[in-house]
Amino acid sequence: MPEIGPWSSRAIKDYSRVIEEFGLEPFDPSQLPDPPIVFRRGLVVASRDFGRILRSIRGKRPFALLTGFSPSGPMHFGHKLVADQVLYYRSLGADVTVAMADIEAFAVRGTPLRESKLLGVKSYILNMMAMGLEDADFYFQSERVAVRDLAWRLGTKVTFSELRSIYGFDESVSYSHLSVPLIQVGDILHVQLPEFGGPRPTIVPVALDQDPHIRLTRDLADRNSLYSVEARERGLAVFIRGKEDPLPHLERARDALESMGFSEFRMVPSYRALFVEDAPPGMREVVEEELRRLEPEAGYYGFIPPSATYNVHLEGLRGGKMSSSQPESAVFLDDDPEVAARKVWNALTGGRKTAEDQRRYGGDPERCQVFQLMKYHLVQDDAYLRQVEEECRTGQRLCGQCKREAAEAIREFLEGLARRRRELEPEVLSRFGLR
Ligand code: TRP
Ligand code: SF4
């Protein structure tokens, strides 16, 4: 197995090394308009091709969001951090699609589809809708033909040795597990099919360990498209892939580029190329995006390589991993508010053994799970968060005060959520055929 990947058991410790080795770009939240706390407080640590999304946001042009959850236990506050990001992109105009990875859960862990369905609808979909994502397109992998169709179509360009080198598969891998990466590629790219909105930039917010899937997806988006654009020292070079007559495609490219305002063209059909001498090399991506939009009409996919941001996982309430199978390690969105408040009172803190020591030496918010809850979920006000941190370090604050505040905030959040869930539940259950 590669050290880091979707099926490696090793937890990621040294993020900056992983970022360097994967060749990721840093993520700068200050580029975003009014970023919410998930972004401001450093949960998202890296990105790929995020400039494409920023351009769409600034130019008020359509962009899609696709993310997915593999429902192995009910939705917890770790999952909520992804939903918070989704909500924000929704507010910036993204159209949102969310995959329930029931094929993945079945192929990798043997979870029956029926079980994923119940959990997916009653916990993930219902809670995300209650959080404000009512108009998102939620679907199950096993129920969306377009996704599975793409998986086998794009699979013709993927070999076993490639999957082995990306994921570390060996000969003992099952046929079903082997199909999981391609299904995820199908999830991510199907939103760009004509019947799902056509080619457009797509943001995929995921955890860092999902990057191998993102790399494969971006590769396949390019390998399956008609037009590719390369920067030259002066200008851009447009190439036609495949074997058919390039001339009509080159002409269509020239017309499109002409209406973008360029005029110095040199067409070399024998080389399957169109040189655009007056296009600045820095416009490579923008031009490629424009040309990809022409592809569906010519019978190609025209997928624009998806962009991604990568978040880190927070620790569980008792330290260690936050896990759906350990109820005490996380607050679940379906937790009774009183139960959740009790979890906060029992959480690991960075406090000292006695109040006296705490006053004298101060606590350590970095090791404190109550502080993590406040930082990523509960305290919106940056100045107040800084104050709490300062008071903790200098011993002016005792853990009881934090716990009281955090428990109260969680109770309030969960009560509101439960109320909204109750309103939505009948309609959601019937929409997904559960009643
Ligand atoms: N593999 C992801 C996980 O384990 C879930 C997932 C399925 C997903 N399809 C996706 C995530 C598409 C992002 C995009 O959490
Ligand atoms: Fe955590 Fe607050 Fe205790 Fe500091 S005082 S260790 S922030 S609970």
Side-chain angles (χ1 to χ4, degrees), residues 76-78 80 317 330-345 347 369-379 402-419 421:
H76 59 52
F77 267 43
K80 172 180 169 289
L317 291 175
V331 176
F332 293 83
L333 279 77
D334 302 289
D335 271 348
D336 180 279
E338 295 313 318
V339 170
R342 205 186 62 229
K343 287 182 184 179
V344 172
W345 280 100
Q369 296 315 313
V370 179
F371 187 75
Q372 300 305 313
L373 276 176
M374 297 205 265
K375 178 172 171 182
Y376 292 103
H377 293 282
L378 304 173
V379 176
C402 284
K403 288 180 168 178
R404 201 169 313 114
E405 290 172 15
E408 192 43 46
I410 276 209
R411 196 182 290 130
E412 200 178 302
F413 171 78
L414 290 179
E415 274 165 7
L417 196 68
R419 222 173 296 127
R421 261 198 323 262

Side-chain angles (χ1 to χ4, degrees), residues 349-351 358 363-365 368 370-371 374 388 392 397-399 402:
T349 72
Q358 176 92 349
D364 183 358
C368 175
V370 179
F371 187 75
M374 297 205 265
V388 170
C392 169
R397 177 178 272 261
L398 298 182
C399 297
C402 284

Side-chain angles (χ1 to χ4, degrees), residues 81-308:
L81 291 168
V82 177
D84 287 335
Q85 296 175 56
V86 176
L87 268 169
Y88 172 69
Y89 290 113
R90 176 77 202 94
S91 77
L92 295 177
D95 62 272
V96 173
T97 309
V98 181
M100 291 293 134
D102 61 344
I103 292 186
E104 175 181 335
F106 184 70
V108 178
R109 288 189 301 273
T111 312
L113 294 187
R114 178 76 192 162
E115 210 173 285
S116 287
K117 178 86 181 245
L118 287 175
L119 204 55
V121 173
K122 291 189 173 174
S123 186
Y124 291 77
I125 296 177
L126 190 52
N127 276 308
M128 281 189 265
M129 287 180 66
M131 284 175 66
L133 288 169
E134 285 105 322
D135 63 356
D137 175 16
F138 296 97
Y139 73 93
F140 287 81
Q141 287 175 327
S142 69
E143 295 173 5
R144 188 157 284 188
V145 177
V147 167
R148 285 155 47 180
D149 229 39
L150 260 186
W152 72 260
R153 281 172 194 275
L154 301 180
T156 57
K157 289 206 167 63
V158 180
T159 63
F160 175 67
S161 65
E162 185 180 6
L163 291 178
R164 179 175 50 197
S165 79
I166 299 175
Y167 298 100
F169 291 138
D170 60 27
E171 279 70 11
S172 69
V173 67
S174 74
Y175 178 87
S176 307
H177 192 158
L178 202 56
S179 74
V180 167
L182 267 298
I183 302 271
Q184 185 152 340
V185 171
D187 284 328
I188 297 172
L189 293 179
H190 90 281
V191 299
Q192 295 193 57
L193 293 171
E195 62 272 37
F196 293 93
R200 62 203 185 288
T202 305
I203 176 69
V204 188
V206 282
L208 205 44
D209 65 356
Q210 299 289 301
D211 183 55
H213 295 311
I214 302 293
R215 262 179 299 161
L216 178 63
T217 309
R218 287 172 53 83
D219 248 30
L220 288 173
D222 279 330
R223 272 186 247 171
N224 286 280
S225 51
L226 177 65
Y227 291 106
S228 69
V229 181
E230 290 176 16
R232 289 287 184 265
E233 210 155 294
R234 244 188 81 232
L236 293 171
V238 176
F239 292 100
I240 307 298
R241 284 211 187 80
K243 297 194 177 69
E244 54 180 303
D245 180 9
L247 195 60
H249 301 309
L250 290 171
E251 283 170 346
R252 276 157 43 95
R254 188 198 48 209
D255 294 348
L257 289 163
E258 216 159 38
S259 49
M260 284 177 82
F262 302 118
S263 58
E264 289 174 40
F265 300 109
R266 195 157 52 83
M267 202 185 280
V268 190
S270 62
Y271 201 43
R272 313 181 70 81
L274 170 72
F275 297 95
V276 196
E277 320 270 334
D278 60 342
M283 281 192 75
R284 192 198 76 78
E285 284 192 347
V286 177
V287 166
E288 191 172 76
E289 232 173 86
E290 275 313 298
L291 296 180
R292 294 270 162 100
R293 286 181 221 277
L294 305 175
E295 292 193 21
E297 233 176 282
Y300 289 79
Y301 291 118
F303 293 136
I304 292 164
S307 308

